[in-house]
Amino acid sequence: MTDTERYDFDVVVIGAGGAGLRAAIEAREKGARTALVCKSLLGKAHTVMAEGGIAAALGSVWPEDSWEVHFRDTMRGGKMLNNWRMAQIHALESPDRVLELEEWGALFDRTPDGRILQRDFGGHRYARLAHVGDRTGLEMIRALQHRAVSIGIDVFMECKIVRLLQDGTGAVNGAVGFWRESGRFLTFGAKAVVLATGGIGKAWKFTTNSWECTGDGMALALWAGADLIDMEAVQFHPTGMVWPPSARGLLVTEGVRGDGGVLKNRDGERFMFNYISPFFAAETAETIEEGDHWYTNKKDFRRPPELLPRDEVARAINSEVKAGRGSPHGGVFLDIASRRTPEEIRRLLPSMYHQFKELADIDITTTPMEVGPTCHYAMGGIRVEADSEATTVAGLYAAGETAGGMHGSNRLGGNSLSDLVVFGRRAGLAAAERALEIPGAPQVSEAQVVDVTRHATSYFDNEGAEDAYAVHRELQETMQALVGIIRIESELLEAKEKLAVLAERASKCAVEGNLQFNPGWHLALDLESMLAVSNCTTLSAIERRESRGGHTRDDYPGFRPEFENVNMITRLVDGEYVVAQEPKPQMPDELAKLFEEGAH
Amino acid sequence: MAIDTGPAPSTAPEPPSDAPPKDLVMHLWRGDASGGRFQEYHVAPQEGEVVLDVVHRIQATQAPDLAVRWNCKAGKCGSCSAEINGRPALMCMTRMSTLPTDQPVTVSPMRAFPIMRDLVTDVSYNFEVAKLIPAFKPGPKDPDGLHRMAQVDIDRGQEFHKCIECFLCQNVCHVIRDHEENKPRYAGPRFFVRLAELEMHPLDTLDRRDYIHEDMGIGYCNITKCCTEVCPEDIHITDNAIIPLKERIVDSRYDPVAWLGRKITGRPTPLRASEARKHTGAAHAQPPAAATPEPGDSA
Ligand SMILES: Cc1cc2nc3c(=O)[nH]c(=O)nc-3n(C[C@H](O)[C@H](O)[C@H](O)COP(=O)(O)OP(=O)(O)OC[C@H]3O[C@@H](n4cnc5c(N)ncnc54)[C@H](O)[C@@H]3O)c2cc1C
């Protein structure tokens, strides 16, 4: 018999970023008894860091914009690997979700006639990102947080979920976690569980991601038997800080380029003009003059190559640095100082101004920033059904960064925040509908609970020298060096072997101290998730023998027809992670027409 | 700065056995609700580091169970609030190079909140207060389904929305810093900012004035501005949020029409701090004796 606190709910939402908050709000409003569980404090989730904006075809700046154009941009940005139905739902519903945030108190920047202002971002044909300076995620999370609190959702914060519970048929019927403060375990019985745990960036050394991004949801899903999809698709954001060392990886928002910032190499050359791929040539400016006109006249001019999708820009920066044309600290220059007045820069990009001033002693209104690629976003994730966000396991739903499919092989900036609220809402709705159909209270298996708590605390009994911090550091180095922005089979195979060794070592980590707020113990448990998910990323990266979006293979450059129509599925089979190719869903003809020559 | 951080919550630190010279010397508070003390750690300095980097390095190499709360390490989430050399600040935004090197750097937990463990405090009080705030209630939309707001009418609200809920303002507020007993009847600067943002929201239709006055205890605040001084987001908490709120409450009692007019246009109250102080000081600030500023506090 384990001594755990016990709670029963209709719906348990794991994760309180944008996706989890929106899911919980929906489930609660549909009448489900709903719990919201998060491993940090409420309002601190990774979503709070989002800067540039939320993409939605509101058409308040460019009336020409429409869901069809947004859909097309999203699919092309994802190199057509996206689940077409998710991309369609996203483009159709994101405007309503943005307006809803306003209804809940968000204050987006305004146009002169008082509507929501939209800003340019890479890969978006029109200025499409509703924003609040460069702190849009904060605005979003507060609006959702206040809403969630005002409708009385039960929040369990600083509580980490360790495993899901399943009934005899395999359906998810609960979860086990512990309070980080006391180490005391809790068992949730639930009729439906929504995973909204965010990404996996902490498996890489240089990342924009926060502490919590350890892939827990993906791992929980895997362990419950669910499929992951396209895990090889990892986004390296082109512009992270490169100096000082302690700030390396921190995001420099794409808003800098959206608002006119340009990339230059050591020689002052705007090198992006040398990296326009045929896929985007028709819609990209060929000269500096043309690119500069585009900011004010989108009808007659094409956008500058600095605003190509992120995978293109990240690869270009990587090549410039490799060719010896980089900046002193191994990046390139991002220059807004010569393009905008100091007042404009401080107004449009206050957090960037602040971040460079405080952390690097650099005034971005006078000095170019040094930037380079940094691990930013997981396009891959838990495989879901497009309309309901149901995973391949009954009773389990997923939304937000932890889910896959929506962004294909590369995500456009701004499309995550909109994804969170569009699919968070749908996941909450589907979970509530399921829960309200199931009578009685959920029956969790006490034996499963005992197994989970026994396993989780076993680290305190381990003896030996393995240390979670050291294993984590080696994991980050492995993923950075071998499963990074440019990949090659020999290195991926090496990574696979190293991960196996690291998993073995991680299982032997010895934890010092007691259960009370013990970061060494928390990290040992987070490592289980990071290792499981890193494994799937590596397996998928080996299997996709082509280059597409966030997955670049030195040994297989360019698209390959045999991979055009396949998704990489990873799952746990008999204790082993395995990868399989499965056909990608095909879009109906009326949508396919949007991609024909000349269509906008 | 005017903040009295009080006596250190500990006895003298333990000297380590074999400390190489020239290292950074860090005194980190370790303990839990039952007590604790500063523990000394030595680490080699690295270029460009912030306090949180050093704390993490100590955690990874010398003290694996050292409890510290953090998330983004980019000044955006407000998790890593602490008192560094007695000065309340975010660990992730305090560069080591800004601290004197000839003496140990001390890091202790925020004092106004109960200690959970080491540098982590129990900030649940704030989340309880948040539940009490009457929610945003917008008026009807325009016929085309949109709300229109002028940028000038939301500038002030956007300033308030910068709040990252680091709770440093709560930590230094004299009304509660050393007076746990005041917490049940006092919302604190963070929530005055929240209330001000609601009150000045051009779309909001609720009247929270009596509530702010009676339940949130704004009268206890005697505008010493300590909260403003520590705000990492540079929100002018006292001048732009608290004083205008106090003013509104005073005004509304004498002149409901003026309040209504402001509510409709949504324009923030112009800043007339001296006048506001006159009003609030005379009519409504009734701080309990405990909350009177200590000598040396600036007002
Ligand atoms: C610096 C930065 C800037 C960005 N800017 C933009 C932008 O401008 N526009 C845009 O569209 N996107 C942007 N993104 C991407 C976007 O912010 C993220 O993809 C998105 O916020 C993820 O949200 P989420 O709801 O899926 O999860 P998160 O916000 O990551 O939240 C995850 C939640 O799950 C909880 N959790 C995790 N594991 C567990 C567990 N085991 N038990 C319990 N709880 C758990 C966490 O505590 C947290 O509450 C940016 C990302 C970064 C890093």
Side-chain angles (χ1 to χ4, degrees), chain A residues 14-20 37-40 45-54 121 129 136 159-162 196-199 208-209 211-214 216-217 220 251 253 376-377 399-402 411-418 420:
Chain A
I14 306 173
V37 189
C38 49
K39 65 180 184 176
S40 53
H46 181 66
T47 296
V48 84
M49 299 178 77
E51 295 169 359
I54 172 167
F121 244 53
L129 271 70
T136 314
C159 169
K160 168 161 164 133
I161 298 296
V162 186
T197 52
T208 61
N209 285 198
W211 160 84
E212 320 182 275
C213 301
T214 55
D216 289 5
L220 291 170
L251 185 69
T253 176
H376 185 57
Y377 185 86
E401 190 170 343
T402 198
R411 174 176 72 85
L412 295 186
N415 270 2
S416 170
L417 291 185
S418 40
L420 306 183

Coordinates of all heavy atoms in Angstrom, one line a residue, chain A residues 14-20 37-40 45-54 121 129 136 159-162 196-199 208-209 211-214 216-217 220 251 253 376-377 399-402 411-418 420, ligand 1:
Chain A
I14 N -2.3 17.9 -18.1 CA -0.9 17.9 -17.6 C -0.2 19.0 -18.4 O 0.0 18.8 -19.6 CB -0.2 16.5 -17.7 CG1 -1.1 15.5 -17.0 CG2 1.2 16.6 -17.1 CD1 -0.6 14.1 -17.2
G15 N 0.2 20.1 -17.8 CA 0.9 21.2 -18.5 C 0.0 22.4 -18.4 O -1.2 22.3 -18.7
A16 N 0.6 23.5 -18.0 CA -0.1 24.8 -17.9 C 0.5 25.9 -18.7 O 0.6 27.0 -18.3 CB -0.2 25.2 -16.4
G17 N 1.0 25.5 -19.9 CA 1.4 26.5 -20.9 C 0.2 26.9 -21.6 O -1.0 26.6 -21.2
G18 N 0.3 27.5 -22.8 CA -0.8 28.0 -23.5 C -1.8 26.8 -23.8 O -3.0 27.0 -23.7
A19 N -1.2 25.7 -24.2 CA -2.1 24.6 -24.7 C -2.9 24.0 -23.5 O -4.1 23.8 -23.6 CB -1.2 23.5 -25.3
G20 N -2.2 23.8 -22.4 CA -2.8 23.2 -21.2 C -3.9 24.1 -20.6 O -5.0 23.6 -20.2
V37 N -2.4 20.4 -14.0 CA -1.2 20.0 -13.2 C 0.0 20.6 -13.9 O 0.1 20.5 -15.2 CB -1.0 18.5 -13.2 CG1 0.1 18.1 -12.2 CG2 -2.3 17.8 -12.7
C38 N 0.9 21.2 -13.2 CA 2.1 21.7 -13.9 C 3.3 21.6 -13.0 O 3.2 21.7 -11.8 CB 2.0 23.1 -14.4 SG 1.3 24.3 -13.1
K39 N 4.5 21.4 -13.6 CA 5.7 21.2 -12.7 C 6.4 22.5 -12.3 O 7.3 22.4 -11.4 CB 6.6 20.1 -13.3 CG 7.3 20.4 -14.6 CD 8.2 19.2 -15.0 CE 9.0 19.5 -16.2 NZ 10.0 18.5 -16.6
S40 N 6.0 23.6 -12.8 CA 6.5 24.9 -12.2 C 5.3 25.6 -11.6 O 4.2 25.1 -11.6 CB 7.3 25.7 -13.2 OG 6.5 25.9 -14.3
A45 N 5.1 28.8 -17.2 CA 5.4 27.8 -18.2 C 6.2 28.5 -19.3 O 6.2 29.7 -19.5 CB 4.1 27.2 -18.7
H46 N 6.9 27.6 -20.0 CA 7.7 28.0 -21.2 C 7.0 29.0 -22.1 O 7.6 30.0 -22.6 CB 8.1 26.8 -21.9 CG 8.9 26.9 -23.1 ND1 10.2 27.4 -23.0 CD2 8.6 26.7 -24.4 CE1 10.7 27.4 -24.2 NE2 9.8 27.0 -25.1
T47 N 5.7 28.9 -22.2 CA 4.9 29.8 -23.1 C 5.2 31.3 -22.7 O 5.1 32.2 -23.6 CB 3.4 29.5 -23.0 OG1 3.2 28.2 -23.5 CG2 2.6 30.5 -23.8
V48 N 5.5 31.5 -21.5 CA 5.7 32.9 -21.0 C 6.9 33.6 -21.8 O 7.0 34.8 -21.9 CB 5.9 32.9 -19.5 CG1 7.4 32.6 -19.1 CG2 5.5 34.2 -18.9
M49 N 7.8 32.7 -22.3 CA 8.9 33.3 -23.0 C 8.6 33.7 -24.4 O 9.5 34.4 -25.0 CB 10.0 32.3 -23.1 CG 10.5 31.8 -21.7 SD 11.8 30.5 -22.0 CE 13.2 31.5 -22.5
A50 N 7.5 33.3 -25.0 CA 7.3 33.6 -26.4 C 7.3 35.1 -26.6 O 6.8 35.9 -25.8 CB 6.0 33.0 -26.9
E51 N 7.9 35.5 -27.7 CA 8.2 36.9 -27.9 C 7.4 37.5 -29.0 O 6.5 38.4 -28.8 CB 9.7 37.1 -28.2 CG 10.5 36.7 -26.9 CD 12.0 36.6 -27.2 OE1 12.4 36.8 -28.3 OE2 12.7 36.2 -26.2
G52 N 7.6 37.0 -30.2 CA 7.2 37.8 -31.4 C 5.8 37.9 -31.7 O 5.3 39.0 -32.2
G53 N 5.0 36.9 -31.4 CA 3.6 37.0 -31.7 C 2.8 35.7 -32.0 O 3.4 34.7 -32.0
I54 N 1.6 35.9 -32.3 CA 0.7 34.8 -32.5 C 0.1 35.0 -33.9 O -0.5 36.0 -34.2 CB -0.4 34.7 -31.4 CG1 -1.5 33.7 -31.7 CG2 -1.1 36.0 -31.1 CD1 -2.4 33.3 -30.5
F121 N 6.7 38.3 -40.2 CA 7.5 37.2 -39.7 C 7.9 36.3 -40.8 O 7.2 36.3 -41.9 CB 6.8 36.4 -38.6 CG 7.4 36.5 -37.2 CD1 7.6 37.7 -36.6 CD2 7.7 35.3 -36.5 CE1 8.2 37.7 -35.3 CE2 8.2 35.4 -35.2 CZ 8.5 36.6 -34.6
L129 N 1.3 38.5 -37.5 CA 1.4 38.2 -36.1 C 0.9 39.2 -35.1 O 1.4 40.3 -35.0 CB 2.9 37.9 -35.7 CG 3.4 36.5 -35.9 CD1 3.4 36.1 -37.4 CD2 4.7 36.2 -35.2
T136 N 4.8 38.6 -26.3 CA 3.4 38.1 -26.6 C 3.1 36.9 -25.7 O 1.9 36.7 -25.3 CB 3.3 37.7 -28.0 OG1 3.9 38.8 -28.8 CG2 1.9 37.5 -28.5
C159 N 4.1 20.2 -9.4 CA 3.7 18.8 -9.2 C 4.1 18.1 -10.5 O 3.6 18.5 -11.6 CB 2.2 18.7 -9.0 SG 1.6 17.1 -9.1
K160 N 5.0 17.2 -10.4 CA 5.5 16.5 -11.7 C 4.8 15.2 -11.8 O 4.8 14.3 -10.9 CB 7.0 16.3 -11.6 CG 7.5 15.3 -12.7 CD 8.9 15.4 -13.1 CE 9.2 14.1 -13.9 NZ 10.0 14.3 -15.1
I161 N 4.2 15.0 -13.0 CA 3.6 13.7 -13.3 C 4.7 12.7 -13.8 O 5.5 13.1 -14.7 CB 2.5 13.8 -14.4 CG1 1.4 14.7 -13.9 CG2 2.0 12.4 -14.8 CD1 0.6 14.2 -12.7
V162 N 4.8 11.5 -13.2 CA 5.8 10.6 -13.6 C 5.4 9.5 -14.5 O 6.1 9.1 -15.4 CB 6.3 9.9 -12.3 CG1 7.5 9.0 -12.5 CG2 6.7 10.9 -11.2
A196 N -0.1 18.3 -22.3 CA 0.3 19.6 -22.9 C 1.6 20.1 -22.3 O 1.7 21.2 -21.7 CB -0.9 20.6 -22.6
T197 N 2.6 19.2 -22.3 CA 3.8 19.4 -21.5 C 4.9 20.1 -22.3 O 6.0 20.2 -21.8 CB 4.3 18.1 -21.1 OG1 4.4 17.2 -22.2 CG2 3.4 17.4 -20.1
G198 N 4.7 20.5 -23.5 CA 5.7 21.3 -24.2 C 6.8 20.4 -24.8 O 6.6 19.2 -25.0
G199 N 7.9 21.1 -25.1 CA 9.0 20.5 -26.0 C 10.1 19.8 -25.2 O 9.9 19.4 -24.1
T208 N 16.9 27.6 -26.6 CA 16.1 28.7 -26.1 C 15.2 28.3 -25.0 O 14.5 29.1 -24.4 CB 15.2 29.3 -27.3 OG1 14.3 28.3 -27.7 CG2 16.0 29.8 -28.4
N209 N 15.1 27.0 -24.8 CA 14.0 26.4 -24.0 C 14.3 26.6 -22.5 O 15.4 26.6 -22.0 CB 13.8 25.0 -24.3 CG 13.1 24.7 -25.7 OD1 12.6 23.6 -25.9 ND2 13.1 25.7 -26.5
W211 N 13.7 25.4 -18.4 CA 14.0 24.2 -17.5 C 13.0 23.1 -17.8 O 13.4 21.9 -17.7 CB 13.9 24.7 -16.1 CG 13.7 23.6 -15.1 CD1 14.6 22.8 -14.6 CD2 12.4 23.2 -14.6 NE1 14.0 21.9 -13.7 CE2 12.7 22.1 -13.7 CE3 11.1 23.6 -14.7 CZ2 11.7 21.5 -13.0 CZ3 10.1 22.9 -14.0 CH2 10.4 21.9 -13.2
E212 N 11.8 23.4 -18.0 CA 10.7 22.4 -18.1 C 10.7 21.5 -19.3 O 10.0 20.6 -19.4 CB 9.3 23.0 -18.0 CG 9.2 24.1 -17.0 CD 7.8 24.6 -17.0 OE1 7.4 25.4 -17.9 OE2 7.1 24.1 -16.1
C213 N 11.4 22.0 -20.4 CA 11.3 21.4 -21.7 C 12.1 20.1 -21.8 O 13.1 20.0 -22.4 CB 11.6 22.3 -22.8 SG 10.6 23.8 -22.7
T214 N 11.6 19.1 -21.1 CA 12.3 17.8 -21.0 C 11.5 16.7 -21.7 O 11.8 15.5 -21.4 CB 12.6 17.4 -19.6 OG1 11.4 17.4 -18.8 CG2 13.6 18.4 -18.9
D216 N 8.6 15.5 -21.3 CA 7.9 14.5 -20.4 C 6.6 14.0 -21.1 O 6.3 12.8 -20.9 CB 7.5 15.2 -19.1 CG 8.7 15.5 -18.2 OD1 9.8 15.2 -18.6 OD2 8.4 16.0 -17.1
G217 N 5.8 14.8 -21.7 CA 4.6 14.3 -22.3 C 4.8 13.3 -23.4 O 4.1 12.3 -23.5
L220 N 5.7 10.2 -21.6 CA 4.5 9.6 -20.9 C 3.7 8.8 -22.0 O 3.2 7.7 -21.7 CB 3.7 10.6 -20.2 CG 4.3 11.3 -19.0 CD1 3.5 12.5 -18.5 CD2 4.5 10.3 -17.8
L251 N 17.1 33.2 -27.0 CA 16.4 33.6 -28.2 C 16.6 35.1 -28.5 O 16.4 36.0 -27.6 CB 14.9 33.3 -28.2 CG 14.2 33.6 -29.5 CD1 14.7 32.6 -30.6 CD2 12.7 33.5 -29.4
T253 N 14.4 37.3 -30.9 CA 13.2 37.1 -31.6 C 13.3 37.4 -33.1 O 14.0 38.4 -33.5 CB 12.0 37.9 -31.0 OG1 10.9 37.7 -31.9 CG2 12.3 39.4 -31.0
H376 N 15.3 25.1 -30.7 CA 14.2 26.0 -30.3 C 12.8 25.3 -30.2 O 12.1 25.6 -29.3 CB 14.0 27.1 -31.4 CG 13.0 28.1 -31.2 ND1 13.0 28.9 -30.0 CD2 11.9 28.5 -31.9 CE1 12.0 29.7 -30.1 NE2 11.3 29.5 -31.2
Y377 N 12.6 24.3 -31.1 CA 11.2 23.8 -31.1 C 11.1 22.4 -31.7 O 11.9 22.1 -32.6 CB 10.3 24.8 -32.0 CG 8.9 24.4 -32.0 CD1 8.0 24.9 -31.1 CD2 8.3 23.6 -33.0 CE1 6.7 24.6 -31.1 CE2 7.0 23.2 -33.0 CZ 6.2 23.7 -32.0 OH 4.8 23.4 -32.0
A399 N -1.9 18.2 -27.0 CA -1.9 19.5 -27.7 C -0.7 20.3 -27.4 O -0.1 20.2 -26.3 CB -3.2 20.2 -27.3
G400 N -0.4 21.3 -28.3 CA 0.7 22.2 -28.1 C 2.0 21.5 -28.6 O 1.9 20.6 -29.5
E401 N 3.1 22.0 -28.1 CA 4.4 21.6 -28.7 C 4.6 20.1 -28.5 O 5.3 19.4 -29.3 CB 5.5 22.4 -28.0 CG 6.8 22.1 -28.7 CD 8.0 23.1 -28.3 OE1 7.7 24.1 -27.7 OE2 9.1 22.8 -28.6
T402 N 4.0 19.5 -27.5 CA 4.2 18.1 -27.3 C 3.5 17.2 -28.3 O 3.9 16.0 -28.5 CB 3.7 17.7 -25.9 OG1 4.3 16.4 -25.5 CG2 2.2 17.5 -25.8
R411 N 8.4 24.7 -38.5 CA 7.3 25.6 -38.0 C 7.6 27.0 -38.4 O 8.7 27.5 -38.2 CB 7.2 25.5 -36.5 CG 6.2 26.5 -35.9 CD 6.0 26.3 -34.4 NE 7.1 26.7 -33.6 CZ 7.3 28.0 -33.2 NH1 6.5 28.9 -33.5 NH2 8.4 28.2 -32.5
L412 N 6.6 27.7 -38.8 CA 6.7 29.2 -39.0 C 6.5 29.9 -37.7 O 5.8 29.5 -36.8 CB 5.6 29.7 -40.0 CG 5.6 29.2 -41.4 CD1 4.6 29.9 -42.2 CD2 7.0 29.4 -42.1
G413 N 7.3 31.0 -37.5 CA 7.2 31.8 -36.3 C 5.7 32.2 -36.1 O 5.0 32.5 -37.1
G414 N 5.3 32.2 -34.9 CA 4.0 32.7 -34.6 C 2.9 31.6 -34.7 O 1.8 31.7 -34.1
N415 N 3.2 30.5 -35.4 CA 2.3 29.4 -35.5 C 2.2 28.5 -34.3 O 1.4 27.6 -34.3 CB 2.6 28.6 -36.8 CG 1.9 29.1 -38.0 OD1 1.2 30.1 -38.0 ND2 2.2 28.5 -39.1
S416 N 3.1 28.7 -33.4 CA 3.0 27.9 -32.2 C 1.9 28.4 -31.2 O 1.0 27.7 -30.8 CB 4.3 27.7 -31.4 OG 4.1 27.1 -30.2
L417 N 2.0 29.7 -30.9 CA 1.0 30.3 -30.0 C -0.4 30.0 -30.5 O -1.3 29.7 -29.7 CB 1.3 31.7 -29.8 CG 2.6 32.1 -29.0 CD1 2.7 33.6 -28.7 CD2 2.7 31.3 -27.7
S418 N -0.6 30.2 -31.8 CA -1.9 29.9 -32.3 C -2.3 28.4 -32.2 O -3.4 28.1 -31.9 CB -2.0 30.4 -33.8 OG -0.8 30.1 -34.5
L420 N -1.3 26.4 -30.0 CA -1.7 26.1 -28.5 C -3.1 26.3 -28.3 O -3.8 25.5 -27.6 CB -0.8 27.0 -27.6 CG 0.7 27.0 -27.7 CD1 1.3 27.9 -26.6 CD2 1.3 25.6 -27.7
Ligands
LIG1 C1 12.2 32.1 -26.3 C2 11.0 31.6 -27.1 C3 10.2 32.5 -27.9 C4 9.2 32.0 -28.6 N1 8.4 32.9 -29.3 C5 7.3 32.4 -30.0 C6 6.5 33.3 -30.7 O1 6.7 34.5 -30.7 N2 5.4 32.8 -31.3 C7 5.1 31.5 -31.3 O2 4.1 31.1 -31.9 N3 5.9 30.6 -30.6 C8 7.0 31.0 -30.0 N4 7.8 30.1 -29.3 C9 7.4 28.8 -29.1 C10 6.3 28.6 -28.1 O3 6.5 29.5 -27.1 C11 6.2 27.2 -27.5 O4 6.2 26.3 -28.5 C12 4.9 27.1 -26.7 O5 4.9 28.1 -25.7 C13 4.8 25.7 -26.0 O6 3.6 25.8 -25.3 P1 2.9 24.5 -24.6 O7 1.6 25.0 -24.1 O8 2.9 23.4 -25.6 O9 3.9 24.1 -23.5 P2 4.8 24.9 -22.4 O10 4.5 26.3 -22.4 O11 6.2 24.5 -22.7 O12 4.3 24.4 -21.1 C14 4.5 23.1 -20.7 C15 3.8 22.8 -19.4 O13 3.8 21.5 -19.0 C16 4.3 21.3 -17.7 N5 4.9 20.0 -17.6 C17 5.9 19.5 -18.3 N6 6.2 18.3 -17.9 C18 5.4 18.0 -16.9 C19 5.2 16.9 -16.0 N7 5.9 15.8 -16.1 N8 4.3 17.0 -15.0 C20 3.5 18.1 -14.9 N9 3.6 19.2 -15.7 C21 4.6 19.1 -16.7 C22 5.1 22.5 -17.4 O14 5.3 22.8 -16.1 C23 4.4 23.6 -18.2 O15 3.3 24.1 -17.4 C24 8.9 30.6 -28.6 C25 9.7 29.8 -27.8 C26 10.7 30.3 -27.1 C27 11.6 29.3 -26.3

